[in-house]
Structure formats: structure tokens, C-alpha cells
Amino acid sequence: MAVSGIFPAGAADQASAPPPVGLKEAVEQTVADGFPGAVAYARRGERESRTAAGLADTASGERARPDQRFRIASNTKSFVSTVLLQLEGEGRLSLDDSVEKWLPGVVQGNGNSGKAVTVRQLLNHTSGIYDPTEEREFFAPYLERKDWDYVYTPREVIARAVRHKPLFAPGTGWSYSNTNYLLAGLVIEAVTHHSAPSEIRRRILTPLGLKDTSFPVTDPALHGPHLHGYDLAGQDVTRFSPSYDWTAGAMLSTVDDLARFHRALFTGKLLHPAQQRELLTTVRFPKKPAYGLGVQRMDVPCGSEPDSARISTWETDGAGPGFTSLSLTTADGERQLILAANVYDLGAELKGERPIPQSEGVGKAQRAALCD
């Protein structure tokens, strides 16, 4: 599907308008509450604004800026689902194809069966396939041996996953699993005979002009202007192999590029109407999110009280070593907020502890950017 000419040339490079009332203060609060730095992009109609607070690098004292790159972690998933939906729109696969059809023998053993799992169930996390990245042992090469360059291949991670029984029969429950999106990446490669990163680049990054977005496979470093990432103790964990996350969360981007991609995605510029409907069709299970295909429906409260009015949004987010980020687009496509901050403590998460500082700044930023 052709996507060139979606936006005016240079739209992402226009000077920022003043941020919505309260957004600058909300971003500053996230820093006051313990994040070294935070950056944000907001859009209302055609008016774009950007703001930043704190430090990109605590060692050098470099200030945080909205143009700096960061690891977007699971925001990657919406890029992956978009490519698979485009392939379906081209008649090259069906989301109701079994995983076995495209990846014979990859999902089997211990009650796992690729014949019983569909591509759609990978994308909406109803496959029941186990996620080994929730285990502390999985991250021992990094967190215990400090081998920040250690490489896991996607197939190694999947092999670890299928050593475990499924969490539930496919389609009968919901559980977020990075394994699902590693398998989705392999399906892209099986269908196209090209690497998944190259398909994302050809189909999304290049047509949309996302020049600051990239997909490292094994390179543990961030290059060019970037935020440094930290754990709760203030240790710099910017250098970290993205290999284990691959199509589940290895990409790098900026707040502007994420906004540009999601604006195109949620306003129907990247997919045929049938696939757009599939993207936004959510599954409903008790006490689980309204999850579509790599995206989530979320109602944002426009006040601090429980009975406050709410605004409907489409959301993606990402959390991984050193970085946390959030992207929200209102259901009518008219307003956006992308917020990124540079703390995420993987070790704390694996111990069941809160991995980021406690702050009301994020909620205040949402209200400032999205509500009247």
C-alpha cells in the first residue's frame, strides 16, 4: 500500500508551538519525582509542540532535548503488526493462518502446537505461549555477568518459551508475551523472504520519512543524539543488547517519529479499511486490557477524581532497560501525546518491585495534552 505524500514535506521539522497549558509543568514534575530526564511531543490538530526537562546524560550534564533518540521497547509491536496487516491486505497471508503454516515445527512440545495458534492470536496476545523474558534467569548474562553485548537469537528465546506448557488454550485467555511478537517477526520473514527489520524500513520508515528511527538487531549502543538510560540506583544502562527483544521491542526512535507513525496508522493511512478494522478490533477478558493488534484502547481520565470524564485513545507503550515511553492518540486522530523518560529498572521489575520512580507527572501530561 503506497504511503508516500501522507504529510506535507518537512511537517515533523516545523518549529514547535507553545505546549498545551500544564504540559511543561507535568514533564518537569516527572524529573522532580526522580527521572533524570523526560521529553514530550503533543499535537492538537496541526499544532505541534515539544518540551523537555532534566538531563539526557547525568555524567556529562547534557540536557534532555525532544530530538534525542531512545529505546522504544514494546512500541515496536505496532510497527510489526502493521507490516503483517499490510501483507494480509496484499493477499500474501491471512491472520487466521496457523503459525505452523509459516513456521513448521517451531511451536511444538509440552502442550504447545503451532497448528492451534493463529497469526492473529500472536498479535493480540491470546496464544497462551509462555514468555521467558519474565524470568530473572533469562537476564543473567546482563544483570549478573554484566555482559551488555550478550546476544540471544529469536529462535533461542522461542525455544526457551516452548519448554513451558501454554498458559491456556489458544483463544481462551489473554497474557502479554514477547514470544508472540518474536514469532510474528519470523512470520514476516517467512512470507517476504526478507528480514523483518528491512520490511519495517521499506514499508514504514522510508515512506514516512522516519529518519531518526532504526532497528538494531545486535548493536548494544545508541548512536547520535540520544537519551542515556538508567536504573533506579542511577547506573547508566544505555549499553544493552537489543537482541533478546528483536521484533518484540528492539527499535529506537524519537517522540517526533513515533508521533508521525501513529498519526498515519490511526488515521488509516497505512492500511486498507478491512485491515484497519482488524488493527482496532480488541479482545475483552475480565480485568485485561482492550488489546487490538499491537495497540490498546485506553480511556484517559480528564480529571483527578474517579468519576471524571474520560477521553478515548489508542495507546502503545514501551519499557525496557533504562527507558520508559508512552504514545497516545485520540480516537478521532486529532490529539497526540508521546512521552519518554530515562529510567527503567529491569532488575527491580524481575523482583516484583516498581521499576520506575513514582510520579503523577505522566497523568498530568495526559490531561494537559489530550483534554480540554
Side-chain angles (χ1 to χ4, degrees):
M1 184 176 183
V3 297
S4 59
I6 290 174
F7 304 118
D13 300 321
Q14 294 172 357
S16 286
V21 174
L23 180 60
K24 184 175 185 292
E25 293 76 10
V27 173
E28 290 171 346
Q29 181 172 342
T30 65
V31 174
D33 290 339
F35 289 93
V39 298
Y41 166 103
R43 179 178 63 81
R44 291 188 171 192
E46 297 304 314
R47 289 176 59 85
E48 299 176 306
S49 61
R50 301 157 184 86
T51 189
L55 300 177
D57 183 351
T58 59
S60 70
E62 180 185 4
R63 303 293 299 178
R65 302 191 313 274
D67 67 318
Q68 291 164 332
R69 303 171 85 205
F70 53 92
R71 298 192 191 279
I72 68 171
S74 286
N75 289 292
T76 299
K77 291 179 172 69
S78 56
F79 289 84
V80 173
S81 64
T82 298
V83 170
L84 281 165
L85 284 162
Q86 288 181 345
L87 289 169
E88 185 186 58
E90 295 162 9
R92 300 175 68 180
L93 85 162
S94 167
L95 294 192
D96 295 316
D97 288 344
S98 71
V99 172
E100 181 70 14
K101 175 177 178 177
W102 295 106
L103 304 175
V106 173
V107 177
Q108 64 178 358
N110 300 306
N112 295 282
S113 172
K115 294 178 181 178
V117 176
T118 66
V119 175
R120 188 188 311 276
Q121 290 166 342
L122 298 179
L123 298 183
N124 65 18
H125 294 298
T126 61
S127 72
I129 297 172
Y130 181 81
D131 185 358
T133 68
E134 295 182 355
E135 300 173 350
R136 185 170 183 84
E137 178 190 356
F138 180 89
F139 288 102
Y142 311 105
L143 300 180
E144 295 178 16
R145 302 202 295 272
K146 310 300 182 186
D147 184 0
W148 310 116
D149 298 7
Y150 186 86
V151 171
Y152 276 112
T153 68
R155 289 180 182 269
E156 285 176 326
V157 181
I158 293 164
R160 290 176 71 115
V162 297
R163 291 174 197 159
H164 297 260
K165 294 179 179 180
L167 302 179
F168 46 78
T172 65
W174 188 91
S175 183
Y176 193 91
S177 175
N178 286 306
T179 312
N180 288 327
Y181 273 77
L182 300 183
L183 288 162
L186 292 181
V187 171
I188 290 173
E189 296 191 339
V191 174
T192 66
H193 305 291
H194 299 133
S195 75
S198 70
E199 284 295 309
I200 288 172
R201 183 170 56 252
R202 182 176 72 84
R203 292 170 173 272
I204 302 173
L205 307 189
T206 299
L208 291 180
L210 306 185
K211 58 184 176 58
D212 294 317
T213 302
S214 61
F215 195 139
V217 176
T218 59
D219 186 354
L222 271 67
H223 303 281
H226 63 272
L227 297 171
H228 285 242
Y230 300 92
D231 63 17
L232 287 168
Q235 177 183 353
D236 190 320
V237 293
T238 309
R239 186 178 184 88
F240 206 105
S241 172
S243 60
Y244 76 93
D245 239 0
W246 195 50
T247 45
M251 292 178 68
L252 311 177
S253 194
T254 62
V255 290
D256 261 274
D257 274 11
L258 268 182
R260 195 174 177 89
F261 166 54
H262 284 142
R263 183 179 183 183
L265 180 61
F266 292 122
T267 56
K269 305 298 195 301
L270 296 178
L271 300 172
H272 294 302
Q275 280 68 48
Q276 188 76 10
R277 289 192 294 272
E278 291 185 308
L279 172 79
L280 304 180
T281 298
T282 62
V283 294
R284 298 281 184 164
F285 291 94
K287 299 181 180 180
K288 300 296 184 181
Y291 201 89
L293 303 184
V295 303
Q296 178 178 329
R297 188 72 174 253
M298 189 171 86
D299 291 336
V300 173
C302 286
S304 56
E305 300 302 321
D307 60 349
S308 298
R310 293 172 175 265
I311 188 167
S312 183
T313 70
W314 289 104
E315 185 260 8
T316 72
D317 54 51
F323 300 95
T324 183
S325 56
L326 173 74
S327 175
L328 293 162
T329 303
T330 55
D332 62 8
E334 284 299 301
R335 295 187 180 189
Q336 287 182 279
L337 171 70
I338 293 83
L339 178 67
N342 55 353
V343 171
Y344 196 84
D345 193 318
L346 180 61
E349 180 195 28
L350 293 168
K351 290 187 287 186
E353 300 171 358
R354 185 177 178 84
I356 58 175
Q358 179 76 42
S359 177
E360 294 182 3
V362 175
K364 290 181 177 179
Q366 292 176 6
R367 292 192 290 273
L370 304 175
C371 301
D372 292 321

